[in-house]
Structure formats: C-alpha cells, structure tokens
Amino acid sequence: MSAARLDCDLLVHSAAQLLTLAGGPQRGARLGNLGLIEDGALAIAAGRIVAVGPTRAVRAQVRSRAELDARGQVALPGFVDPHTHVVWAGDRANEFEQRLAGRTYMEIMAAGGGIMSTVRQTRAASVAELAAATRPRLRQMLAHGTTTVEAKTGYGLETEAELRQLDAIELLAVEGPWTLVPTFIGAHAVPAEYAGRAEAYVDLVVDEMLPAAAGRLPRWAARNLPVFCDVFCEDGAFTVAQSRRILERARALGFSLKIHADEFVGLGGTALAVELGAASADHLVQTPAADIAALGRGETVAVGLPGTPFGLAQPDYTPALQILEAGGLLALASDLNPGTTWCESMQMVIALACRYMRLTPAQAIAAATINAARALRLDHAVGSLEVGKAADVLLLGVPDYRHLGYRYGTNLVQTVVKAGQVVTV
Ligand code: NIG
Ligand code: FE
C-alpha cells in the first residue's frame, strides 16, 4: 500500500543536474558542496519546495497540476545578490572615460564627482522616478537569475533623500516578484555640504537619519526581512572610529550590520565588523592578515565583489583562498552601482570570481547562493533547494554546472521560477 500523494502546483523534473546546496552555509574548506542530484526533480506547493530528489522518487511522492521538463538542463537555487547599490538616478559614463584616461576613482570622488555626482542626480528624483530608473535593472537581474537582491541607499546623504531611497526600495519590494532587502548607508560618502566636517555629518547620521530610518523597521519585520545599516569605511570616506559609532547606534536601534571595508586601504573595518557581529564585511581587497584570521573565528560573512576591481581595471581582488584557509565564510555579490561596476549579472560575477579569486565553479556557485543568503541572514529561507524553503529555482540551458564560470557575456538562464511562479522576463 502506498502513502497518499502530496498535491502540488509544479513539478520540475528530469534535470540533468539538480544542485540542492543543502546543508546550510559552507565555511572554509567546505565551500563548494553542491548537493548534486543527477536526473533530479523538485515539487512546489504554495510557493515553497515540498519535495526534492531523484525524479523517480519525487514522482512517487507527489501529484502535480503542472510540470516543467528540465531534460538537458541544470536546476539550481536562484542567485542571491547580497550587495547592490541598485537604486540611483542618472549615470556616470563620463567618469568611466576619465578613468580610462588615468584618473583614479578616489581622485574623482575627492574632486566632487564619484558618489557625489550620483547623489546630485538622485536627490533631484522623486520616489516614483527612482523606482522607474531601478525597475529595469531589477528585471535584468531577474532575467539573469537573481531572485533575492539587497538594495542600499547612500545616494541621498540627507535625511529626506535617504528616506526616499528607502521608499523606492519598499515600493519595488511590494511590486515584486523579486525579494528585496533594504540597507541604509547614509555614511556612503561625506556630502559636499559637510566637506572637512565629517564628524558633524556622522552626528547627523547617528542623531537624525538612523532614528528616522529605524521607523521603517517594523514594516520590514512584518515581511520577515531584516534591515541593514552599512558604512563605507575607507580613507577619504569614514574612519574605523566613525564607522563604529554609526554601527553601534544602528545595532542599538535594531538594524543588522554590514560594512564596506578594505576596498582600497586596509583600515581595520573587517575586524570591527567581526567584533560587532555584522552579517557581512564587503569588498575585502586589501584586508590585513589579522582581519582575515578574525573572519575565520567569527560569524561575519566575507563578501567578495570581483566586478568592482574588474570595473575599475585594478589588479587586486579579494584573497578568497586565504579567507577560506582561515576558515571564513565567503559569499559573492555584484556591487551593482553606476560608478565602479554596472553589472546586473551574477553569472558574470561567478566568471570573474573563478578567474581572479581562483574559486572553482562549485565554490563560486555556493558563494552566490547559500552563503550569499547567509550574508543577508536569510539562509533559513532562500539560497538552497530544500523542503520548506522558497521555490526560487533557475533552469540553465546547459547540461553541466561548470558552464557557469566557464562561459560569460551571454545569459545561460532559460527559466526563472520565483516563489513557485514561472517568471517571464
Ligand atoms: O561599493 N565604494 C563605495 N561604494 C560603491 C561605489 C558607489 C559609487 O561609486 O557610486 C562600491 O563600490
Ligand atoms: Fe558597494
């Protein structure tokens, strides 16, 4: 006698390779565990995964209203992009040309361009205009397989404009079908009006912006999503002491924490992040050895952003193998922004990580899914294909997962399933 079959909405079956990424975040030498099932299937009901396994076994368990034949394809979890500056107005094509002619990113920023240039354009935009500028980028991300996106503020740098960026993120989150996770980064640059008065700007962030942004926390909590606070800890931006002040205040107000650290100079921001229990420390190009060791002991995820040195045509990348050797948790993200790296594709990020961070395709895939989910503290909900998790599933038009990384510049994603729904992009 066979047990009653489970009714489900969609059965994805016969995948040449189904990558479950099961078993939680992957630390150090464990990175790269794909949980590969040949001739794999998964069943979905009410937007969640209800069964995963070999096609024959899953078929025996369920009765499905619809089916998706994944023959000759790779099925894997939707990518999680845990670091983006996706909400902005305008562009900085002129600065790209200046950098090609030899000016550095920080020189352009010190001269009032860079982040401030996007700030001027973003301050002039309404919430609806910001959403309209951002939506096509989110659609591109989804088309390239990113189903969960962290989105930062940081192009307002004054209270009302920062709140408008948060409002645009919320408007787009409600619209979906993507999952958006907001990050407040009022300390993204010292705005021109505060030039030479960084400490006074930090006062504004701590005393006015953070409490105002904290008013949004309950609405996100109701969606079971955290809200992060981030700081650009860098020479020419914010010191470690200023970063600590901001992050400690944010933590007290209920934000989860992130930091931009060691992009150009290793100041100690990564060790600070570990000490404060931040969810992630991001960039980590010039990270001191002591800070790498701290990552090995702590819970903070190191987020590599290889699109950024690539976008800036700089030679140094996140020392991924040293971080893994120290036992650290490594994730990947796009850093999508108009200044350093306008790239919506985590497939491209994986291709760069394989070449310049020396990851295997399997390691890069785990870093872009389950570990990226951990960098958002959402590893219980997304980032792997396991029973109970959101049915965010990609089908790639290739028979072997190693085509990810190997190939670049075209989109290998043929089908995106978000929360159980096949998305047309
Ligand atoms: O992560 N480094 C700071 N922030 C961004 C760049 C933002 C911009 O240039 O607009 C980054 O690379
Ligand atoms: Fe960034």
Side-chain angles (χ1 to χ4, degrees), residues 98-99 101-110 264 312 314:
Q98 289 169 19
R99 283 204 314 276
R103 279 186 98 190
T104 71
Y105 176 74
M106 291 311 271
E107 277 166 15
I108 293 170
M109 179 163 161
F264 303 106
L312 293 171
Q314 287 183 346

Side-chain angles (χ1 to χ4, degrees), residues 83-85 152 188 230 260 263 283 305 335 337:
H83 181 141
T84 89
H85 306 256
K152 299 182 198 292
H188 193 202
D230 194 343
H260 280 64
E263 181 175 356
H283 283 290
L305 310 166
D335 197 21
N337 74 75

